[in-house]
Amino acid sequence: MNIEERLLEGSKRACGRLITMLENNEKEAIDILKKLYKESGKAYVIGITGPPGAGKSTLTDKLTKELRKQGKKVGIVAVDPTSPFSGGAILGDRIRMSDLALDKDVFIRSMGTRGSLGGMSKATWGAIKVLDIFGCDYIFIETVGVGQSEVDIVKTADTVLMVMVPNLGDDIQAIKAGIMEIADVFAINKSDLDGADKTKVEIEMNLDLNEYSDYRPPVIKVSAGQNKDIDILLEKILEHRGYLEKNNELEKIRIRNNKLEILKMVEEDLMKLILDKAVKEDLIENLAREVTLRETDPYTARDEIIQLITNN
């Protein structure tokens, strides 16, 4: 059997191979996804994000085990930071879920960011499609440890789970714009530590500043290390899914996400086309020198590059 048939039959090896091909930008992988895309659209994507050390991997592990109790097939994409110097990544998130690797209905894939900003890898979008076709009911996307502006996960996930921990910083951290605004569910992990109740109050106060109609993000205290209240957290995540489906919001989210993905792919290919042409003709080098010598300006240089492409 070829890789397409094996993927449809649930082969983990075929699944992993196809994701690797996508990471390496192999044309064959894109062709396979084009053929099999109609088989996707069944999986529900849950994004898990939060600051470094919040316990995202452990929480993902526990949530997966809860879903497995319900007989669900689960895919996990764990994104780890890539060194800006060597280009390497430890991919340690998978180590924390090693016992799940033996489960035939759980597929875990670690991938490095490879210089991509926003807390995710460029190959994440493709990996989601592969896992969907593979037959996963739920797909977890665990981002790298993020700060206040890495919000790419909202462009990918159906439900975004924000993982916080007590005593991260001063009170104002809880109301900073950006990452706090994308969550559909808040989980305060390591809730056995002092300050968990205070953190919960701060997040609730932040939510009070916004106007909500039918749905207000719940704030749940959990302890992934002690496997405490994970079932309650999963229940809230599934409640959000129910809300989206009942109010026809899920389709709107997916249309928005697909629109953003299409634009992102077009942007990347156009940029590659421009750079390949400009570099080949030493245009950028020459323009940079002219701008430095004040023989031209950056705006005229930009216009020359665009004109070069449009003329071709």
Side-chain angles (χ1 to χ4, degrees), residues 38-254:
K38 61 182 181 296
E39 303 294 335
S40 65
K42 306 177 187 72
Y44 193 80
V45 182
I46 301 169
I48 299 185
T49 190
K56 297 185 294 295
S57 296
T58 307
L59 196 56
T60 302
D61 175 80
K62 302 302 182 187
L63 286 168
T64 299
K65 287 172 180 173
E66 285 294 322
L67 284 170
R68 289 295 298 124
K69 290 177 185 177
Q70 300 177 16
K72 303 299 183 183
K73 189 172 183 178
V74 182
I76 300 170
V77 178
V79 185
D80 283 286
T82 299
S83 168
F85 305 105
S86 67
I90 295 177
L91 306 181
D93 286 337
R94 187 168 184 169
I95 297 171
R96 301 184 182 98
M97 310 176 204
S98 56
D99 55 334
L100 284 175
L102 301 175
D103 191 326
K104 65 180 180 63
D105 287 318
V106 176
F107 184 93
I108 306 172
R109 179 64 177 229
S110 293
M111 51 178 60
T113 54
R114 298 193 179 191
S116 179
L117 302 176
M120 290 173 54
S121 165
K122 286 182 181 178
T124 305
W125 282 267
I128 291 170
K129 294 176 183 60
V130 174
L131 290 170
D132 196 348
I133 297 166
F134 177 63
C136 292
D137 299 300
Y138 288 88
I139 301 172
F140 286 107
I141 308 298
E142 181 200 331
T143 72
V144 301
V146 296
Q148 293 159 5
S149 60
E150 294 89 343
V151 294
D152 271 3
I153 189 63
V154 78
K155 304 173 186 175
T156 308
D158 299 319
T159 294
V160 176
L161 172 64
M162 175 68 65
V163 185
M164 306 293 286
V165 286
N167 307 317
L168 263 184
D170 54 31
D171 296 354
I172 202 68
Q173 295 291 340
I175 60 172
K176 286 195 174 178
I179 195 166
M180 292 293 292
E181 298 176 339
I182 67 172
D184 300 303
V185 180
F186 287 91
I188 301 173
N189 193 23
K190 307 181 183 180
S191 60
D192 51 312
L193 298 177
D194 291 338
D197 290 330
K198 181 172 178 285
T199 301
K200 186 175 189 301
V201 169
E202 289 168 358
I203 295 173
E204 295 282 9
M205 289 175 63
N206 180 25
L207 296 175
D208 288 339
L209 299 175
N210 300 320
E211 292 185 6
Y212 297 96
S213 51
D214 300 328
Y215 183 83
R216 173 189 167 106
V219 184
I220 310 299
K221 293 193 302 178
V222 300
S223 177
Q226 298 179 3
N227 201 23
K228 181 182 177 184
D229 293 331
I230 305 300
D231 55 338
I232 296 174
L233 178 59
L234 179 60
E235 182 182 321
K236 294 300 180 183
I237 292 171
L238 298 182
E239 280 181 10
H240 181 251
R241 177 180 185 174
Y243 166 78
L244 294 178
E245 292 173 341
K246 180 182 177 182
N247 293 277
N248 298 318
E249 292 293 326
L250 184 57
E251 183 179 4
K252 293 178 184 177
I253 288 173
R254 291 182 173 179

